[in-house]
Amino acid sequence: MMTDRDVWMKAGAILAEHGAMTADYIIDQISDAIGDRVAVEDWRRVAAAVDAISDAQSRGAN
């Protein structure tokens, strides 16, 4: 299982690399992880972190 720090680092790196296509990338990763409950939970946490980062960035732009 990923640490909280690992989750946030991965989320930031994914956003930086994939931008608007981040959701598609995460869906692909979760699809590959099906059957591995730990991996699915890790990716769920990464997706939540991506949402939090995106929300904070959009609020900062106002």
Side-chain angles (χ1 to χ4, degrees):
M1 179 168 258
M2 296 171 77
T3 66
D4 287 344
R5 182 181 187 283
D6 292 337
V7 166
W8 285 91
M9 295 297 292
K10 179 160 290 285
I14 289 169
L15 276 169
E17 184 173 342
H18 297 280
M21 300 302 292
T22 296
D24 292 334
Y25 174 78
I26 290 174
I27 289 167
D28 288 344
Q29 296 303 309
I30 290 173
S31 295
D32 291 345
I34 297 297
D36 181 346
R37 293 179 66 123
V38 171
V40 170
E41 177 61 17
D42 282 344
W43 279 104
R44 184 200 64 76
R45 292 171 58 217
V46 170
V50 164
D51 284 345
I53 293 167
S54 295
D55 185 47
Q57 286 175 340
S58 67
R59 279 190 270 164
N62 291 335

